[in-house]
Amino acid sequence: MTRIIADISISLDGFVTGPDPGPENGLGTGGGALHTWAFSDDPDECRILREGTARSGAVVLGRRLFDQVDGVNGWNDEIGYGAGEAGRPAFVVVTSSPPESVRLTGLDWTFVTTGPADAVAAARERAEAASAAGGRDLDVVLMGGGATIGSALDAGLVDTLTLHLAPVVLGGGTPLFTGGMPRTLVQRGVVRTPNATHLTYDVP
């Protein structure tokens, strides 16, 4: 069965970027420390990253994050979601207006202008099609940014929340949680690695 998984790195004080993020500094000041684990040679961290990519039948991201990864200093053949893997998932972007052009034309992009719920529905269709073609269950992964995941959580669209908790206090930036209804999650897993603690929760 296809699950909707929100998966993001976060600081101890709840930020998914450092202060002052922008087009030339997508993760903000100090925000690169959030993703140290993803670029590590540690076997457990490599495994967690590989398993996350392998389960992805489709990936949802917001427009600001798309502009960063599709920008001149963004993803390439060596750096990016699924880089170096045999296959890459479809990508669905939540946006008010599609871009005029796309640099990363080798990836499968869909732009949804009618909100997160429709973006998740489109991604589910792509993931279920990939599951049927591959003969194994694949999931929809919400990779960010923080506003996209926060909106999906508030709308009740997320089945599982995976947080990669980095041992850093950023003091500001983009928060993942900005209010909304209180909720109690169900803890399903904790994995400690040298550069992060990886937390998995079911979202009732």
Side-chain angles (χ1 to χ4, degrees):
M1 184 179 75
T2 296
R3 299 171 298 164
I4 311 301
I5 300 174
D7 187 308
I8 196 164
S9 296
I10 189 169
S11 69
L12 291 175
D13 50 347
F15 295 102
V16 298
T17 75
D20 302 318
E24 301 302 320
N25 186 28
L27 290 173
T29 303
L34 298 172
H35 298 276
T36 299
W37 74 270
F39 296 95
S40 165
D41 292 329
D42 177 79
D44 288 330
E45 292 177 335
C46 290
R47 175 184 55 79
I48 290 168
L49 186 64
R50 184 173 60 250
E51 289 176 351
T53 301
R55 75 174 184 234
S56 304
V59 174
V60 176
L61 63 157
R63 177 58 187 269
R64 278 181 287 185
L65 182 54
F66 166 78
D67 287 343
Q68 293 167 22
V69 303
D70 195 56
V72 293
N73 297 316
W75 291 351
N76 53 44
D77 290 340
E78 288 76 39
I79 298 174
Y81 201 102
E85 303 292 336
R88 294 187 181 181
F91 293 91
V92 177
V93 180
V94 187
T95 180
S96 59
S97 60
E100 294 182 0
S101 63
V102 175
R103 178 180 65 87
L104 296 169
T105 56
L107 299 179
D108 180 355
W109 297 103
T110 299
F111 298 91
V112 174
T113 60
T114 49
D118 287 343
V120 168
R124 185 190 292 275
E125 289 182 6
R126 304 301 296 273
E128 288 176 346
S131 297
R136 63 191 182 96
D137 287 339
L138 296 172
D139 298 319
V140 173
V141 175
L142 280 63
M143 67 172 287
T148 298
I149 288 181
S151 296
L153 285 167
D154 289 344
L157 301 173
V158 176
D159 299 315
T160 301
L161 174 63
T162 298
L163 299 177
H164 308 282
L165 185 64
V168 59
V169 175
L170 293 174
T174 305
L176 179 58
F177 304 109
T178 57
M181 293 294 293
R183 66 175 68 235
T184 299
L185 308 181
V186 180
Q187 185 167 289
R188 292 302 184 196
V190 179
V191 178
R192 296 174 181 85
T193 63
N195 295 295
T197 301
H198 310 272
L199 308 167
T200 302
Y201 302 93
D202 287 343
V203 183

